Amino acid sequence: MKIIAMIPARYAASRFPGKLMQDLQGKPVIQRTYEAAINTGLFQEVYVVTDSPVIFETIAKIGGKAIMSKKEHECGSDRIAEAVESMEVDIIVNVQGDEPFTDRESLASVIEVFKDDHQQEIDLASLMTRIKDWVEINDPNTVKVIVDNQNFALYFSRAPIPYPRARELDIPYYKHKGIYAFRKRALMDFQRLPMQILEATEKIEAIRYLEYGKKIKMVETNVSGIEIDTPEDLEKAKSVWK
């Protein structure tokens, strides 16, 4: 299989505009993420796909591979689909641009799903991590996922799922981490299929795949990492990097 990584990198961000170009111990966040993906050694190619000339030039200047998006996109999947449409690839891994601590173990685990899927029944693989803090469980910025007994995703939500009606039970809650691995055909399907009501309501792109019957295999990980969504996250990342 030919496996590549795509890092969607939109300059605008509602909570922290320009966050990917913020300095993280001497290098922009997007450069740190790009280098982390390269250093895993898991990919034949790693690309940054962006709507920003500044981000494009930052990656090109270090000899990296960057692609300018031709148009605006609603989500990362659309931006990646445009970039890979003419490429001969099998698996595309979406690495979030705001995760400079992206680790090899997590990426390898989602890729491994496809190596074992000899019937090619799995369309996507993604990561989830157990959460127990009720503040995080109730936080709408934390996307939760519930799975069946084979760890296929049943639904994603910003609300606490499942609802804790039976408080005496030890209910496992899982946070969805935004790393995806796609078969190319699933990504191309996503691009042409219109958004439905559940995705529009929750603003979670993974729901579109479920609404159209795609199978998403979830892999549990204990690696939490740091997603840079706010200035406070950036300061935390700087402390950890030291």
Side-chain angles (χ1 to χ4, degrees), residues 118-129:
H118 303 298
Q119 302 302 315
Q120 298 193 11
E121 296 175 338
I122 298 170
D123 298 293
L124 291 79
S126 194
L127 293 173
M128 62 183 185
T129 185

Side-chain angles (χ1 to χ4, degrees), residues 137-156:
I137 290 168
N138 284 283
D139 184 351
N141 293 314
T142 298
V143 175
K144 277 71 66 175
V145 59
I146 49 174
V147 296
D148 66 13
N149 60 3
Q150 295 183 333
N151 277 355
F152 283 102
L154 294 172
Y155 191 62
F156 300 85

Side-chain angles (χ1 to χ4, degrees), residues 8-42:
R10 189 169 62 95
Y11 188 85
S14 56
R15 284 186 288 169
F16 191 4
K19 64 181 181 179
L20 298 184
M21 287 303 299
Q22 294 294 316
D23 180 79
L24 178 54
Q25 298 303 94
K27 296 180 181 180
V29 170
I30 186 61
Q31 183 178 338
R32 292 289 188 190
T33 303
Y34 179 80
E35 291 174 347
I38 290 280
N39 290 338
T40 64
L42 294 170

Side-chain angles (χ1 to χ4, degrees), residues 181-220:
F182 314 88
R183 290 196 188 279
K184 183 181 177 182
R185 65 169 185 253
L187 195 56
M188 293 300 101
D189 285 346
F190 180 93
Q191 185 185 39
R192 65 178 177 79
L193 294 170
M195 184 185 298
Q196 299 293 305
I197 188 66
L198 293 177
E199 180 191 0
T201 300
E202 297 262 20
K203 298 290 189 245
I204 300 171
E205 64 187 84
I207 293 175
R208 190 184 310 184
Y209 293 98
L210 295 181
E211 289 187 279
Y212 285 102
K214 303 296 185 184
K215 298 185 73 172
I216 306 177
K217 184 79 167 183
M218 302 300 299
V219 179
E220 186 172 358

Side-chain angles (χ1 to χ4, degrees), residues 36-100:
I38 290 280
N39 290 338
T40 64
L42 294 170
F43 307 107
Q44 281 96 325
E45 306 284 355
V46 177
Y47 298 89
V48 170
V49 54
T50 183
D51 62 351
S52 165
V54 174
I55 292 175
F56 180 92
E57 290 166 10
T58 296
I59 299 303
K61 190 181 297 182
I62 61 168
K65 296 183 178 180
I67 299 171
M68 279 295 294
S69 291
K70 297 176 184 174
K71 54 189 175 183
E72 291 297 321
H73 294 290
E74 290 290 330
C75 62
S77 288
D78 283 331
R79 193 176 301 281
I80 292 172
E82 178 197 295
V84 303
E85 188 170 7
S86 61
M87 293 184 183
E88 293 294 329
V89 297
D90 299 295
I91 304 298
I92 302 105
V93 180
N94 176 349
V95 177
Q96 297 297 307
D98 59 4
E99 294 201 18

